[in-house]
Amino acid sequence: MLSAERIMQRCAALAQHSELAGGLTRVFLSPEARAANEKVLGWMREAGMQAKLDAIGNVAGRYEGSRPGLACLMLGSHLDTVRDAGKYDGMLGVITAIECVSALSAGNRKLPFAIEVIGFGDEEGVRFGTTLLGSRAVAGIFDREVLNMKDAGGVTMADALRDAGLPPEGISTVARKKGEVLAYAELHIEQGPVLEAEGLAVGVVTAINGFSRLRVTLRGTAGHAGTVPMNLRRDALAGAAECVLATERIARSHPEVVGTVGRIEAKPGAINVIPGEVMFTVDVRAPQDPLRNATVDAIRAHIQKVSRERKLDCHIETLQEFGVTACAPRLMEQMERAVARQGFRVRRLPSGAGHDGMALGAISEICMLFVRCKGGISHSPLESISEADAAAGAKVLFDFIEHFQT
Ligand SMILES: [Zn+2]
C-alpha cells in the first residue's frame, strides 16, 4: 500500500537535518547531508532494496527484478537543498520512489527489470557553485576539473570527499554504462504555478529547458564623485544598469524566454566614488536551443554596444551552458497513460528549472512527472504540497512503474 502520510512524514523528517536553525539548508557532503543519507539508506533497506552510499555521495538503492542483474528503471531526485529551502524540492522524488518500491516488495512482486532509486548528493550546486554533481557522475560525464573547486571556507571538493570517506579516485566507478539504465524517471514538484492554475495535481514534463550563464565584467575608471565632471566619467555601474534593463527587454521579446541578472557587484563600492568595475551575471533559459542561443547573442551584442558607447572595457565569460533535454516521447506516452488510468486529466508542460535528468540524458532516455505545489513557490520555506497531491504523484508513479515497457 502506498502511504502519502508516510511520504509527508519522511519529507518532514529529512527537513530536520539542516545547518540552519529553524529552516532548511543542507549542502553537498555536509554533516547534515550525511545524517540525511543514513536515514534514506535505512528507508531503502526497509523497502527491500540493497542500498549504499556511492563514491560521489549519492544514496543508491537497488531492487532486483525477476532475476538478478537485469537492467534497471532508474528513479530518483536530489537530497541537497538550496539555502533556506523547502522540504519537497528533490526529497519528494526520492521518498516517493522508495514508497513505490516498498509497495512492490510488500506484495513480493518482481518486475521484468530492476529498479534503482538514487538520492543525488548534489543537484543544486550550492556548496561548490557547480550543479548536478551526483547525476553527472552516474551518467559518466563528471568533469574531474571541478574537484579543485573550493567552497566558501576554502575546502576543495576533493578534500571534502576525502573527509566524507569517499576518495575521489572512486568517482569513475559510479558511472553506469549505456544499456544498464532502461530509462530515468523523476517525480518533482512543479516549482511553477501552471498546475495549480488549472486545478491539476500532476503534469507530464515535455522537456527541461536549456540554460546559459554568463559572467560579465565592465571596467571603467574609478574617481571622486565630487570632482570628476559627468562628461568625463567612465562609470561601470551606470553601464551595467543599461545592460540589466537590456537583458530584461530582450528576454521579454519572446514569451518562452526568461533572462535574469541575479548578482551584481560594484567596486570599489563607496558612496563617494565612481564605480570603476562591475561584475554581473546573466542567466538565460529557453525551451529550444536556437532560441536560447539567439537571445544570448542579442544580450552579448547589446553589452558590447553599451561598452563601446561608454568607453568601458568589457569581458564576457560563459560560466555554464546546457542544451534542452527533451523527455522521450515513448516515456511521456507511458506516463500519460498512467496519469489517465489514475483518473487525472493529462497536461503536458515544460520544466523551466534544471533537474538531474539533464545529466542522465547522456546515458538514458528520461521522463518526469510534476506534482502541484502551492502558489508555484519553491526554493523557499513557503514551499508546500498537499498530502492528496503527494498521494496522486505516488499513484501515478507506481502505475508508470507497473506498466513500464522497456
Ligand atoms: Zn530540485
Side-chain angles (χ1 to χ4, degrees):
M1 267 296 284
L2 297 166
S3 166
E5 191 186 348
R6 181 158 69 172
I7 291 171
M8 299 300 277
Q9 281 166 357
R10 288 180 168 179
C11 288
L14 279 190
Q16 298 302 310
H17 299 289
S18 168
E19 67 185 65
L20 177 72
L24 174 57
T25 300
R26 192 171 57 239
V27 302
F28 187 38
L29 301 173
S30 60
E32 297 78 22
R34 288 186 221 178
N37 290 345
E38 283 306 315
K39 209 163 254 179
V40 176
L41 283 168
W43 295 336
M44 284 178 168
R45 289 175 187 137
E46 233 176 79
M49 282 184 264
Q50 287 187 316
K52 61 168 201 254
L53 195 69
D54 74 15
I56 189 70
N58 299 323
V59 179
R62 183 174 165 95
Y63 182 74
E64 293 291 353
S66 47
R67 58 189 169 78
L70 291 171
C72 75
L73 168 62
M74 187 177 278
L75 310 170
S77 194
H78 57 97
L79 295 172
D80 67 323
T81 73
V82 293
R83 296 204 183 280
D84 206 10
K87 295 196 273 283
Y88 305 100
D89 177 350
M91 287 71 80
L92 181 69
V94 182
I95 289 167
T96 305
I98 295 171
E99 190 63 29
C100 290
V101 174
S102 171
L104 285 174
S105 117
N108 210 12
R109 286 183 62 190
K110 296 288 185 185
L111 300 171
F113 49 87
I115 297 176
E116 293 196 17
V117 178
I118 308 212
F120 294 105
D122 174 281
E123 187 264 356
E124 302 283 8
V126 169
R127 182 163 178 191
F128 293 101
T130 182
T131 58
L132 304 171
L133 294 171
S135 45
R136 280 172 191 267
V138 170
I141 53 169
F142 185 86
D143 175 6
R144 295 192 70 85
E145 298 248 307
V146 302
L147 288 167
N148 301 318
M149 293 179 89
K150 290 180 181 162
D151 67 8
V155 179
T156 66
M157 194 188 302
D159 284 340
L161 281 161
R162 281 189 204 100
D163 288 349
L166 305 168
E169 298 70 41
I171 291 172
S172 57
T173 64
V174 175
R176 308 302 160 89
K177 292 183 195 71
K178 270 197 176 139
E180 289 177 357
V181 181
L182 299 166
Y184 173 74
E186 177 169 346
L187 176 147
H188 200 284
I189 57 165
E190 182 199 349
Q191 300 180 269
V194 175
L195 295 175
E196 187 177 68
E198 297 191 15
L200 294 170
V202 293
V204 177
V205 178
T206 52
I208 305 171
N209 289 356
F211 65 82
S212 297
R213 287 178 179 162
L214 311 177
R215 175 161 53 208
V216 182
T217 308
L218 299 181
R219 285 194 189 86
T221 309
H224 196 293
T227 60
V228 184
M230 296 308 284
N231 62 334
L232 296 179
R233 293 186 179 200
R234 294 169 70 226
D235 183 331
L237 185 54
E242 283 195 48
C243 298
V244 173
L245 292 177
T247 298
E248 184 187 49
R249 192 178 61 248
I250 292 165
R252 271 189 183 167
S253 66
H254 195 289
E256 289 181 315
V257 174
V258 287
T260 307
V261 175
R263 239 185 106 187
I264 186 160
E265 286 166 17
K267 288 181 187 169
I271 193 168
N272 58 350
V273 183
I274 300 160
E277 183 179 315
V278 172
M279 185 287 298
F280 61 93
T281 58
V282 181
D283 177 307
V284 175
R285 304 181 195 217
Q288 295 109 34
D289 291 334
L291 178 60
R292 175 174 49 86
N293 291 334
T295 306
V296 171
D297 288 347
I299 291 171
R300 275 176 179 275
H302 199 91
I303 293 170
Q304 279 151 355
K305 178 170 163 275
V306 168
S307 303
R308 274 194 308 276
E309 286 167 1
R310 291 176 164 270
K311 300 188 173 57
L312 301 170
D313 297 326
C314 158
H315 181 66
I316 305 175
E317 209 183 330
T318 301
L319 292 179
Q320 234 183 346
E321 251 179 334
F322 231 112
V324 171
T325 305
C327 293
R330 70 174 190 100
L331 297 177
M332 282 168 53
E333 282 160 23
Q334 292 186 40
M335 191 65 86
E336 285 167 4
R337 285 200 286 273
V339 169
R341 276 192 297 264
Q342 292 302 318
F344 302 103
R345 179 163 74 80
V346 172
R347 170 66 155 96
R348 293 183 167 199
L349 72 171
S351 171
H355 295 289
D356 289 299
M358 299 172 94
L360 268 306
I363 48 158
S364 166
E365 291 182 325
I366 72 147
C367 64
M368 289 189 76
L369 180 70
F370 272 167
V371 174
R372 164 170 57 188
C373 58
K374 195 170 176 209
I377 295 169
S378 68
H379 286 193
S380 155
L382 296 175
E383 194 178 285
S384 163
I385 65 164
S386 70
E387 189 173 312
D389 287 356
K395 276 192 226 163
V396 172
L397 185 65
F398 188 77
D399 187 302
F400 170 82
I401 296 167
E402 268 191 306
H403 295 87
F404 175 62
Q405 299 284 316
T406 57

